[in-house]
């Protein structure tokens, strides 16, 4: 992997997301379902962003996992109408990841997933 200045910015952003997710759980009292949902989403998105920076072939898997986390968080922790937004966004991410695996997306989008 060629580590560029933009890659360093992305890495710092992913570390910041993980730290903010942990910070929410530690510092916000009382811990409610909204705090738990926010923390889970921030930590998972930060971790998958960091992983996809170093292993480019895992971008599709990272998007798929993010979609599943959004759906699970929307179903488990959030109340209506916020959970509908999370579920919809999660389903869209899962569909995009599956279509990218199947190579059924338009070419300009497939270039984002299959860089050489």
């Amino acid at each position: 992997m060629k580590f560029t200045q933009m890659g360093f910015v992305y890495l710092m952003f992913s570390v910041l997301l993980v730290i903010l997710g942990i910070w929410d759980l530690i510092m916000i009292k009382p811990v409610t379902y909204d705090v738990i949902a926010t923390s889970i989403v921030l930590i998972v998105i930060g971790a998958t962003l960091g992983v996809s920076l170093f292993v480019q072939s895992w971008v599709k898997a990272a998007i798929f996992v993010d979609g599943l986390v959004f759906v699970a968080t929307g179903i488990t922790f959030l109340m209506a109408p916020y959970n509908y937004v999370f579920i919809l966004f999660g389903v869209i991410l899962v569909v995009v990841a599956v279509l990218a695996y199947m190579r059924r997306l338009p070419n300009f989008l497939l270039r984002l997933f299959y860089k050489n």
Side-chain angles (χ1 to χ4, degrees):
M1 180 192 117
K2 185 177 178 183
F3 202 67
T4 63
Q5 184 177 5
M6 195 55 139
F8 180 73
V9 171
Y10 287 148
L11 183 63
M12 289 297 108
F13 183 66
S14 69
V15 169
L16 178 70
L17 286 175
V18 171
I19 290 171
L20 284 175
I22 295 170
W23 184 268
D24 279 351
L25 283 176
I26 294 172
M27 298 305 287
I28 295 178
K29 301 294 180 207
V31 176
T32 61
Y33 286 135
D34 292 338
V35 173
I36 294 170
T38 304
S39 296
I40 289 171
V41 167
L42 286 173
I43 291 169
V44 170
I45 288 176
T48 56
L49 176 63
V51 167
S52 64
L53 282 173
F54 291 107
V55 185
Q56 180 64 31
S57 62
W58 287 8
V59 171
K60 297 176 293 298
I63 291 174
F64 185 76
V65 168
D66 287 344
L68 290 179
V69 166
F70 269 92
V71 169
T73 302
I75 291 172
T76 308
F77 295 112
L78 298 175
M79 301 294 287
Y82 304 112
N83 66 339
Y84 300 135
V85 174
F86 270 68
I87 292 169
L88 178 67
F89 186 66
V91 167
I92 290 171
L93 287 177
V94 168
V95 167
V96 166
V98 168
L99 289 175
Y101 272 118
M102 295 171 49
R103 295 182 184 253
R104 298 287 186 201
L105 290 174
N107 287 332
F108 68 93
L109 289 176
L110 278 176
R111 282 186 282 163
L112 299 173
F113 296 104
Y114 295 99
K115 292 182 181 177
N116 291 329

